[in-house]
Amino acid sequence: MKPIIEFCVSNLASGSQKAFEQLERDSNLDVIEYGCLSYCTRCSDSPFALVNGEVIIGATPDELVSNIYTFIDETWLF
């Protein structure tokens, strides 16, 4: 089973598209885009994604990717 990374389409349009594209190239991840994840306040503040149901944020798309990989490394059981 792979880690599931979920993105909101509105957040993609607000800056996290680069993170989405980078993570989507990683065959060890399941990266999914949804119309809305119901985190509207978070969505308007900064790039974010849900990683296995946990909110992960970053000030930039690159920081978001780094934070996602760090979270997976610290919490994922293979």
Side-chain angles (χ1 to χ4, degrees):
M1 181 174 227
K2 301 176 187 178
I4 299 171
I5 318 298
E6 301 168 282
F7 284 89
C8 173
V9 71
S10 294
N11 197 256
L12 292 174
S14 297
S16 63
Q17 181 69 35
K18 181 180 174 186
F20 177 87
E21 291 170 357
Q22 184 176 347
L23 293 166
E24 192 174 42
R25 289 190 292 268
D26 187 334
S27 62
N28 294 313
L29 304 174
D30 283 331
V31 182
I32 304 166
E33 172 187 330
Y34 289 102
C36 181
L37 293 172
S38 299
Y39 288 88
C40 298
T41 303
R42 172 89 52 212
C43 189
S44 65
D45 286 342
S46 63
F48 88 100
L50 294 181
V51 180
N52 297 324
E54 295 290 328
V55 175
I56 306 299
I57 62 170
T60 65
D62 290 331
E63 184 179 293
L64 176 60
V65 169
S66 176
N67 291 346
I68 287 171
Y69 279 117
T70 297
F71 178 80
I72 290 169
D73 288 344
E74 292 174 353
T75 63
W76 191 251
L77 301 175
F78 293 98

